[in-house]
Amino acid sequence: MIAVSAAAVMLSACAPTVVPAGGPVQAPRLTDDRYVAADGTSLPLSVWPAANGAPKAVILALHGFGDYRMAWEEPAGTWSGAGITTYAYDQRGFGGSPSRGRWPGTDTLVDDARTVAALVRARHPGVPFYLAGESMGGAVVLVAADRGAESDGLVLSAAAVRSRDTFGPVASAGLWFFAHTIPWMPAGPTSIDYKPTDNPKTIDKLRNDPMMLRQPRLDMAYGLVDLMDDARASAARVKEPYLMMYGLGDRIVPQAPVKAAIEIMPPRPDSKLAFYKEGYHLLMRDKAGPAVTEDVAAWISNHEAQLPSGADASKSLPEMASLWGSKRNGQASARPRSE
């Protein structure tokens, strides 16, 4: 009994750290280079305006785990030339946020995304607005959309939909135990160890950019899995048009969880699945990243036309997730035009 009590005390003393948003003290707002949240937290913001006048569309882009807003610098440059304005901010716990290195919780990440989306939409009334997310950012986008973030479509690049059940009971139990006993320990190998891209320039940035968060705490990884659980559930309730992109060389988000998520996503004639045979996790920063980025611009311009790269015509992963979950068991008759 004493041992059990001691273990309980140890676990409670070492519970995963979560640093959520505080209570509201002001109205949230955007400045030229900041998103200032209702609790007063100031998060760095970058904006890449559309070239040559008013934007044809606007994207709010959310970065992945360990990354920060400049993950979107290269794609945003291409989108600018296509008449698209891109906004990106450092999510709490990452980049230049004041709580860097601490997990903010799914609710806080999602509330920030919903708030920034509303602020950006208000700044560009009447302009088509899209939510884009890479990896963890894709998970935040899915949950934010499910919780009411309004947009004209979702761009999901290697979305983190690796829910807890796909890890297996042993790995899941191990993560829970260590996150509750040694939450301050590094989570293990970094994404670099899993070849996130074939682009040496991108790898160099991951290794040397001081704003990248390397060796995150175990409790941050634990929080990420909670987010991915919610994202997987939200995938079944997508109401907006979406472009789901995945690189078949991705070693960070395996094919099986992505296939399972796709099978429950509502098939829509204005939505696409795009699989890149030579693509890795950081699709838009791979050597072939410009082609992926151009696909996004093309889809925003016309949801139903074939993508310039032809990635939406490839029946893979496997056979386009069993032809999109057999069209959700016959409940939807519309098929992607590439079929």
Side-chain angles (χ1 to χ4, degrees):
M1 184 66 181
I2 294 176
V4 172
S5 299
V9 170
M10 180 179 71
L11 289 174
S12 63
C14 299
T17 298
V18 177
V19 182
V25 297
Q26 62 180 33
R29 68 184 191 277
L30 297 179
T31 70
D32 289 343
D33 61 356
R34 295 274 161 175
Y35 155 55
V36 184
D39 68 344
T41 298
S42 178
L43 300 175
L45 172 79
S46 290
V47 183
W48 293 269
N52 303 319
K56 299 175 183 177
V58 175
I59 293 175
L60 172 60
L62 305 184
H63 63 75
F65 188 81
D67 218 324
Y68 71 116
R69 67 193 187 284
M70 297 307 288
W72 298 98
E73 182 177 21
E74 293 175 36
T78 298
W79 295 334
S80 174
I84 299 171
T85 291
T86 305
Y87 287 75
Y89 64 95
D90 290 356
Q91 297 187 79
R92 298 188 199 228
F94 303 96
S97 71
S99 57
R100 175 182 171 88
R102 297 294 185 271
W103 185 250
T106 295
D107 290 346
T108 292
L109 288 170
V110 169
D111 286 347
D112 280 339
R114 292 174 58 197
T115 301
V116 179
L119 291 169
V120 172
R121 283 170 58 87
R123 184 179 280 190
H124 299 276
V127 179
F129 172 77
Y130 291 81
L131 283 168
E134 179 180 76
S135 193
M136 180 193 82
V140 176
V141 164
L142 280 167
V143 181
D146 191 28
R147 296 185 184 179
E150 295 183 5
S151 73
D152 294 284
L154 312 179
V155 177
L156 306 167
S157 181
V161 289
R162 193 177 185 183
S163 53
R164 187 173 267 100
D165 61 300
T166 67
F167 284 87
V170 175
S172 294
L175 177 60
W176 185 93
F177 177 79
F178 290 117
H180 285 77
T181 55
I182 49 173
W184 58 85
M185 286 289 288
T190 67
S191 62
I192 298 175
D193 299 303
Y194 294 96
K195 193 177 180 179
T197 179
D198 63 348
N199 191 337
K201 178 182 176 182
T202 304
I203 290 291
D204 183 67
K205 178 180 178 180
L206 297 179
R207 286 182 174 145
N208 300 312
D209 189 332
M211 296 304 294
M212 296 294 300
L213 181 65
R214 303 177 189 85
Q215 297 295 329
R217 292 164 50 113
L218 271 169
D219 52 9
M220 292 195 78
Y222 184 77
L224 174 63
V225 175
D226 286 341
L227 169 63
M228 292 193 292
D229 281 347
D230 288 339
R232 167 70 178 277
S234 295
R237 298 186 291 269
V238 176
K239 300 178 290 295
E240 303 84 354
Y242 59 86
L243 172 62
M244 180 79 158
M245 305 185 299
Y246 182 74
L248 298 181
D250 195 330
R251 301 180 184 179
I252 295 175
V253 179
Q255 290 190 21
V258 176
K259 177 179 181 292
I262 287 172
E263 287 176 339
I264 64 173
M265 294 177 76
R268 303 173 50 112
D270 55 7
S271 299
K272 287 188 177 294
L273 308 177
F275 303 123
Y276 299 86
K277 294 179 180 179
E278 306 300 325
Y280 291 84
H281 188 64
L282 302 180
L283 278 171
M284 286 181 273
R285 288 178 280 173
D286 287 347
K287 288 180 180 178
V292 182
T293 305
E294 289 169 5
D295 279 353
V296 174
W299 179 75
I300 287 175
S301 177
N302 186 335
H303 290 174
E304 297 190 20
Q306 184 170 329
L307 300 178
S309 73
D312 54 325
S314 173
K315 289 186 175 63
S316 49
L317 188 63
E319 288 302 289
M320 297 187 80
S322 301
L323 291 181
W324 225 328
S326 297
K327 304 307 163 197
R328 293 299 300 273
N329 301 317
Q331 294 176 4
S333 59
R335 292 194 169 201
R337 295 203 169 217
S338 58
E339 293 181 351

